[in-house]
């Protein structure tokens, strides 16, 4: 199946990059064509096929996976319609700077943090309880290539974790904490209507001595109808 899936996905990635060059707000933004951003959007917009399972379990009230992706189907089946909607339609399209901030309930970002650091994103609108929220984080295994000797050398690989925080109670509700991976992925039912945030944590290095690492992040969820979170009696 990979001999068919690989060129289809590569074509989808090329179409997203081409689409960004037709968008007035993205044509001058190289972050929109960064491989980590494109990958995050494609993974985050994939359809969950029957039997999809990334090992999510609930422990102590926290939805958790140490697997990140399904062993057989990754994030699921390619859905370019949804990918284009998430990449180019209304929502957050690359937060200014590299350090997170307030974002819409759907969007993507190119970010950066130092080893041991964290980047936080606060959703501007409440998420709807009972709906599905999907978040994908990815980064590179750093390598160098010598064009004269044709030798590739490993430099290092960062280890990131991904958390979803309930901002009302200041508690973690979901986490993707795989180790030997360069993707973290969550697809879960929002426990209750409320304010949530996304946290990207640069835990350390699997090998090498990297001090700074860039990442792509994509997320998708429905906003709750406008309600007063603390109505008067």
């Amino acid at each position: 199946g990979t001999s068919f899936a690989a060129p289809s996905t590569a074509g989808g990635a090329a179409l997203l990059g081409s689409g960004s060059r037709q968008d007035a707000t993205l044509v001058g933004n190289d972050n929109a064509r960064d491989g980590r951003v494109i990958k995050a959007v494609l993974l985050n917009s994939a359809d969950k096929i029957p039997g999809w399972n990334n090992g999510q379990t609930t422990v102590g009230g926290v939805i958790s996976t140490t697997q990140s992706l399904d062993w057989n189907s990754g994030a699921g089946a390619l859905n370019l319609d949804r990918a284009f909607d998430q990449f180019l339609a209304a929502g957050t399209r690359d937060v200014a700077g590299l350090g997170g901030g307030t974002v819409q309930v759907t969007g993507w970002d190119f970010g950066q943090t130092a080893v041991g650091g964290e980047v936080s994103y606060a959703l501007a609108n409440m998420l709807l309880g009972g709906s599905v929220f999907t978040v994908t984080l990815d980064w590179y295994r750093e390598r160098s290539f010598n064009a004269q000797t044709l030798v590739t050398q490993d430099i290092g690989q960062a280890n990131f974790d991904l958390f979803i925080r309930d901002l009302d109670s200041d508690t973690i509700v979901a986490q993707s904490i795989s180790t030997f991976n360069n993707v973290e992925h969550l697809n879960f039912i929002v426990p209750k209507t409320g304010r949530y945030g996304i946290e990207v944590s640069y835990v350390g290095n699997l090998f090498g001595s990297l001090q700074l690492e860039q990442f792509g992040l994509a997320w998708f969820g429905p906003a709750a109808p406008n309600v007063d979170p603390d109505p008067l009696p």
Side-chain angles (χ1 to χ4, degrees):
T2 55
S3 60
F4 183 81
S8 298
T9 304
L15 287 171
L16 288 183
S18 177
S20 73
R21 295 188 183 278
Q22 308 305 314
D23 186 284
T25 63
L26 296 179
V27 64
N29 185 352
D30 289 338
N31 292 344
R33 291 168 290 279
D34 185 90
R36 288 156 287 202
V37 167
I38 297 293
K39 180 179 178 180
V41 170
L42 289 173
L43 291 173
N44 204 66
S45 57
D47 288 331
K48 298 300 183 263
I49 61 177
W52 185 88
N53 185 348
N54 74 335
Q56 288 180 184
T57 58
T58 301
V59 179
V62 179
I63 300 165
S64 182
T65 174
T66 58
Q67 182 178 313
S68 177
L69 300 174
D70 183 279
W71 297 129
N72 296 312
S73 62
L78 184 69
N79 185 330
L80 280 179
D81 282 341
R82 186 180 297 171
F84 267 84
D85 287 343
Q86 179 163 345
F87 188 56
L88 298 173
T92 296
R93 299 191 294 176
D94 201 24
V95 181
L98 298 172
T102 301
V103 297
Q104 301 301 311
V105 295
T106 294
W108 57 267
D109 185 44
F110 175 82
Q112 174 180 283
T113 186
V115 61
E118 186 176 274
V119 180
S120 298
Y121 301 81
L123 301 185
N125 299 98
M126 291 192 292
L127 282 179
L128 180 63
S131 65
V132 175
F133 190 49
T134 307
V135 189
T136 305
L137 167 72
D138 77 281
W139 60 100
Y140 286 154
R141 175 171 176 161
E142 301 294 346
R143 293 181 170 100
S144 65
F145 176 71
N146 188 314
Q148 294 182 331
T149 63
L150 303 180
V151 172
T152 300
Q153 182 175 358
D154 275 317
I155 298 173
Q157 181 171 336
N159 181 24
F160 278 86
D161 286 340
L162 175 65
F163 302 95
I164 309 301
R165 183 178 293 274
D166 181 333
L167 299 181
D168 296 319
S169 63
D170 194 29
T171 57
I172 298 296
V173 298
Q175 59 184 16
S176 179
I177 51 174
S178 64
T179 301
F180 302 102
N181 208 342
N182 64 349
V183 173
E184 300 293 353
H185 182 78
L186 286 164
N187 178 260
F188 67 98
I189 296 175
V190 179
K192 65 181 181 65
T193 297
R195 300 183 307 121
Y196 292 88
I198 303 168
E199 297 178 1
V200 174
S201 179
Y202 186 173
V203 180
N205 296 312
L206 295 180
F207 67 92
S209 56
L210 302 172
Q211 295 300 307
L212 197 67
E213 190 65 25
Q214 294 78 41
F215 60 85
L217 181 71
W219 62 95
F220 177 85
N226 291 328
V227 296
D228 187 345
D230 187 21
L232 295 173

